[in-house]
Amino acid sequence: MDEINGDFPQTDVALIIGANDVTNPAAAPTPPAHFGMPILDVDKARTVMVIKRGMSPGFAGIDNPLYYDDKTLMLFGDAKAFVNNIVRELSGGGH
């Protein structure tokens, strides 16, 4: 975590698949809301894309403010289908 977290402020897009608790910026302050859980600082990226099936909280049961941030795009549905579509678009094989 220490190695990757320093990269997020220079990251254009952080693509999150599922991960509720380990991306929750509310868990970062001391003491952490998710006691002992390492947190990815994805909220520091310029844009955050989150693929989930719904807005339910993770295992810890704590709402994630990242999902309400203006720079966060919430994509609801099947992660495999979304990732396949994203790869196809980025490779020029879109519509």
Side-chain angles (χ1 to χ4, degrees), residues 4-86:
I4 191 69
N5 276 339
D7 291 341
F8 286 118
Q10 295 84 35
T11 301
D12 288 326
V13 178
L15 176 62
I16 311 304
I17 301 174
N20 277 302
D21 297 330
V22 297
T23 62
N24 192 336
T30 305
H34 306 356
F35 181 73
M37 183 179 297
I39 304 300
L40 290 164
D41 293 334
V42 298
D43 60 311
K44 306 267 189 314
R46 288 181 193 97
T47 301
V48 180
M49 296 174 67
V50 179
I51 303 173
K52 288 182 46 96
R53 293 196 178 273
M55 289 293 288
S56 62
F59 182 76
I62 300 170
D63 199 24
N64 192 334
L66 175 68
Y67 301 160
Y68 308 100
D69 192 306
D70 288 340
K71 65 181 175 183
T72 300
L73 305 170
M74 297 298 294
L75 307 172
F76 297 106
D78 180 75
K80 182 177 180 181
F82 270 117
V83 171
N84 284 338
N85 288 337
I86 291 168

